[in-house]
């Protein structure tokens, strides 16, 4: 190859090398990722502690007959709502009506006997005055009159019992609420009485309705200290507000108040039972439904950060911060509830920490990586970010 051509090729190769080198310097392979940082928002907030539990009926009654007999009629639709006093079942009333008539006849017989014994006693009184009859006869007739009065009382008591049994042959709803399905169909013999009575159905009161949950011993001690210090009333005496969220709900639309705390901590589980009460006018809430509850836990001086700034590291929660050396540091934290749209950090952060609130989606942002930190601001309205330039 001629010398001129070789020189031309060398110049071209050198130009390509210089161009690639300049491109590499202008666009490095791994630039430092940029993140937005801000100190946690210090604020005094209302603390809401979360618990899980289930709704329970305020009243639950097993409907059983008080008298034995054959079911004649069923007067309700399975699963319907009933009012107190509504007729549910009718037991064949004919035997009870006959018993009432027989008891009424015994009362009339006793009254007739009283009339006769009173006349006998009056005659004996007059005869004793004329010494025509001994005093012992007067005593005997007085005793017969007293026995007749006692027999009348016995007959009247038997009449009341028969009338009561006739009344009990109509099984009525003892409370208002939702009735379950019938457990016995017409034509079946049912047993009544105080023990061994046949279960006919059940009724639960739905309005109001209870929410029952278990709280930890640590929570109970903290609430007790707040009550002693005057920062939060005890739920035994104060209707502290609660909110409940069902499984398919994102907000906390159901509001109620505390109305009971048990009298001892369970030694086996280390928990104590609590109960809140809710209005349920539309009967939407049903006993047995699972829910998450927030209970007012008193005022709290807290550090707040966006919930999105909390990442999971296996079983623990971590917040990424930028240290003085410009590198990302993962700090394990203990989470509290939500307040003012932000996550409460119970422990693990300090007011001077620079929390990463923007840029977490970058896969290169992880502990130990040097980053370019831009200042930002945590706003309480839904955890929005105000990014500085």
């Amino acid at each position: 190859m001629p010398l001129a051509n070789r020189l031309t090729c060398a110049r071209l190769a050198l130009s390509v090398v210089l161009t690639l080198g300049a491109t590499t310097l202008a666009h490095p392979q791994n630039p430092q990722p940029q993140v937005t940082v801000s100190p946690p928002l210090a604020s005094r907030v209302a603390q809401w502690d979360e618990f899980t539990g289930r709704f329970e009926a305020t009243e639950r009654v097993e409907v059983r007959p008080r008298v034995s007999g054959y079911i004649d009629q069923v007067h309700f639709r399975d699963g319907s709502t009933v009012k107190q006093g509504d007729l549910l079942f009718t037991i064949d009333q004919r035997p009870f009506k006959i018993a009432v008539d027989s008891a009424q006849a015994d009362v009339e017989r006793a009254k007739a006997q009283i009339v006769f014994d009173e006349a006998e006693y009056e005659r004996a009184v007059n005869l004793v005055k004329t010494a025509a009859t001994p005093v012992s006869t007067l005593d005997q007739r007085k005793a017969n009159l007293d026995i007749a009065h006692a027999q009348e009382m016995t007959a009247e008591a038997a009449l009341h019992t028969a009338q009561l049994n006739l009344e009990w042959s109509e099984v009525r709803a003892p409370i208002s609420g939702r009735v379950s399905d019938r457990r016995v169909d017409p034509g079946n013999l049912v047993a009544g009485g105080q023990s061994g009575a046949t279960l006919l159905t059940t009724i639960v009161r739905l309005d109001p309705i209870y929410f029952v949950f278990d709280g930890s011993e640590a929570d109970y001690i903290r609430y007790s200290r707040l009550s002693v210090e005057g920062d939060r009333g005890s739920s035994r005496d104060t209707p502290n507000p609660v909110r409940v969220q069902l499984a398919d709900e994102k907000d906390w639309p159901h509001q109620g108040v505390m109305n009971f705390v048990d009298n001892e901590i369970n030694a086996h589980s280390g928990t104590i039972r609590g109960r809140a009460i809710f209005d349920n006018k539309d009967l939407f809430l049903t006993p047995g439904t699972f829910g998450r509850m927030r209970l007012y836990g008193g005022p709290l001086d807290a550090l707040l950060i966006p919930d999105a700034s909390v990442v999971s590291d296996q079983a623990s929660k971590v917040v990424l911060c930028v240290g003085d050396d410009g590198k990302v540091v993962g700090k394990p934290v203990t989470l509290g509830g939500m307040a003012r749209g932000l996550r409460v950090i119970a422990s693990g952060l300090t007011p001077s920490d620079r929390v990463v609130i923007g840029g977490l989606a970058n896969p290169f942002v992880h502990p130990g990586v040097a980053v370019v930190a831009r200042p930002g601001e945590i706003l309480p309205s839904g955890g929005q970010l105000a990014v500085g330039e």
Side-chain angles (χ1 to χ4, degrees), residues 30-309:
N30 296 312
Q32 290 184 346
Q34 295 185 354
V35 296
T36 304
V37 297
S38 172
L41 178 63
S43 177
R44 188 173 180 86
V45 298
Q47 182 175 0
W48 293 88
D49 301 318
E50 294 189 9
F51 303 92
T52 59
R54 293 189 181 275
F55 286 99
E56 289 186 2
T58 52
E59 294 182 64
R60 184 182 187 277
V61 177
E62 293 183 344
V63 180
R64 300 178 187 268
R66 297 188 179 186
V67 294
S68 301
Y70 287 90
I71 296 295
D72 191 24
Q73 288 181 293
V74 178
H75 301 275
F76 67 93
R77 181 173 57 85
D78 293 349
S80 61
T81 57
V82 297
K83 295 182 179 180
Q84 184 176 4
D86 284 353
L87 183 61
L88 303 179
F89 296 89
T90 299
I91 299 173
D92 187 2
Q93 294 182 320
R94 290 172 295 179
F96 304 104
K97 290 180 179 179
I98 292 172
V100 170
D101 294 339
S102 176
Q104 184 66 53
D106 289 340
V107 170
E108 296 301 324
R109 184 183 301 109
K111 290 181 178 179
Q113 185 65 43
I114 289 175
V115 172
F116 175 77
D117 288 339
E118 284 179 344
E120 287 291 306
Y121 176 71
E122 292 297 333
R123 282 193 291 268
V125 170
N126 294 328
L127 291 173
V128 167
K129 290 180 179 179
T130 60
T133 298
V135 176
S136 60
T137 302
L138 177 63
D139 295 338
Q140 180 63 47
R141 293 182 180 179
K142 178 64 169 64
N144 292 340
L145 179 59
D146 291 341
I147 292 173
H149 280 293
Q151 290 174 341
E152 181 190 26
M153 295 174 63
T154 301
E156 288 180 347
L159 175 60
H160 293 326
T161 300
Q163 291 172 337
L164 190 59
N165 288 336
L166 177 60
E167 180 182 340
W168 284 344
S169 66
E170 294 182 342
V171 181
R172 298 183 177 273
I175 62 172
S176 299
R178 190 178 300 280
V179 67
S180 182
D181 60 336
R182 71 186 79 176
R183 307 298 171 84
V184 179
D185 292 320
N188 286 288
L189 177 65
V190 295
Q194 296 182 353
S195 62
T198 305
L199 176 63
L200 300 179
T201 187
T202 59
I203 303 176
V204 293
R205 185 184 296 277
L206 300 180
D207 183 31
I209 192 169
Y210 288 144
F211 186 86
V212 179
F213 65 98
D214 290 324
S216 68
E217 181 178 352
D219 287 329
Y220 176 76
I221 293 174
R222 179 165 57 86
Y223 293 152
S224 298
R225 293 193 186 281
L226 289 172
S227 177
V228 171
E229 295 168 0
D231 292 331
R232 175 187 180 274
S234 170
S235 292
R236 288 194 173 98
D237 310 312
T238 304
N240 287 312
V242 298
R243 300 170 183 171
V244 164
Q245 174 191 81
L246 301 184
D248 64 339
E249 294 173 338
K250 295 182 179 180
D251 297 325
W252 304 81
H254 310 287
Q255 300 185 9
V257 295
M258 289 291 297
N259 78 330
F260 169 77
V261 177
D262 212 345
N263 58 356
E264 62 179 353
I265 295 174
N266 188 309
H268 299 288
S269 63
T271 60
I272 188 167
R273 188 165 60 99
R275 187 181 71 197
I277 189 168
F278 292 77
D279 288 332
N280 192 26
K281 302 297 183 183
D282 56 0
L283 306 185
F284 174 73
L285 301 174
T286 302
T289 304
F290 172 84
R292 296 172 58 202
M293 186 192 80
R294 281 182 174 177
L295 169 62
Y296 173 65
L300 176 68
D301 292 324
L303 297 178
L304 310 179
I305 64 172
D307 199 29
S309 297

Side-chain angles (χ1 to χ4, degrees), residues 12 18 125 192 243 249 304 307 324 336 350 366 384:
L12 290 174
L18 292 174
V125 170
R243 300 170 183 171
E249 294 173 338
L304 310 179
D307 199 29
D324 295 336
T350 64
H366 55 78
Q384 300 175 357

